[in-house]
Amino acid sequence: MNGWLGRMATWAACVLWLALPAAAQDGAGPTFGMPWLARVNYVVDGDSIWVRPEDGGARVRLRIDGVDAPEICQDFGPESRQALQKLALNQRVRVTVWARDRYGRAIATVVRLQGDVDVGEYMVSEGWAWTDGYGARLGKYWRAEAQARWAGRGLFAERWPETPADFRSRHGPCDAGKPKASK
């Protein structure tokens, strides 16, 4: 009986977790796993944006699922941000939130409605972000990254561009007073 109750409690906790709103830094958004429409109103860098839900409410900060873009103070960081601005700024998007990261951002799949463009896949395929694979696990957009590397697009024009994780471990987070890394 105790094992059954324990499993039920675990199941109930999972259901409640999934039903929680996708909170962001200045407001709560819709439920995890449920697509909703928004407009991109700010691009932070190559993998983070702010959106305003079309049905009203506070804006929501999103981390694009499946990608890791250069830090804004890293080589290719400004170019990555510009590519995302060109693709998504002021555009209507469909957002599906899957989780939250340690910084409070909602992690979401973002699709630009005009042309039905998966924003994460586009950023990787154009060479402005890496797919988010770890160790032996291939990332969500591994094919797009392989093609971008082969074609030498974006940051993959360099033979071994430094990943954001390596950059952060060497330099720490970007600060306004910190100089940009040299090429």
Side-chain angles (χ1 to χ4, degrees), residues 136-169:
R137 185 180 68 80
L138 295 175
K140 183 176 181 179
Y141 303 117
W142 68 270
R143 284 187 180 97
E145 182 176 318
Q147 291 171 350
R149 283 180 182 275
W150 183 82
R153 288 193 287 265
L155 58 89
F156 299 117
E158 283 193 7
R159 186 172 178 156
W160 299 108
E162 184 174 29
T163 66
D166 289 342
F167 180 85
R168 285 187 300 271
S169 70

Side-chain angles (χ1 to χ4, degrees), residues 46 64-70 79-80 83-84 87 110 112 116-132 139-157:
I64 299 169
D65 182 42
V67 302
D68 195 10
E79 294 88 347
S80 177
L84 186 52
L87 174 68
V110 179
R112 187 183 72 186
D116 199 38
V117 178
D118 180 320
V119 171
E121 183 175 23
Y122 176 89
M123 291 297 290
V124 174
S125 70
E126 292 301 309
W128 298 119
W130 289 262
T131 192
D132 68 349
K140 183 176 181 179
Y141 303 117
W142 68 270
R143 284 187 180 97
E145 182 176 318
Q147 291 171 350
R149 283 180 182 275
W150 183 82
R153 288 193 287 265
L155 58 89
F156 299 117

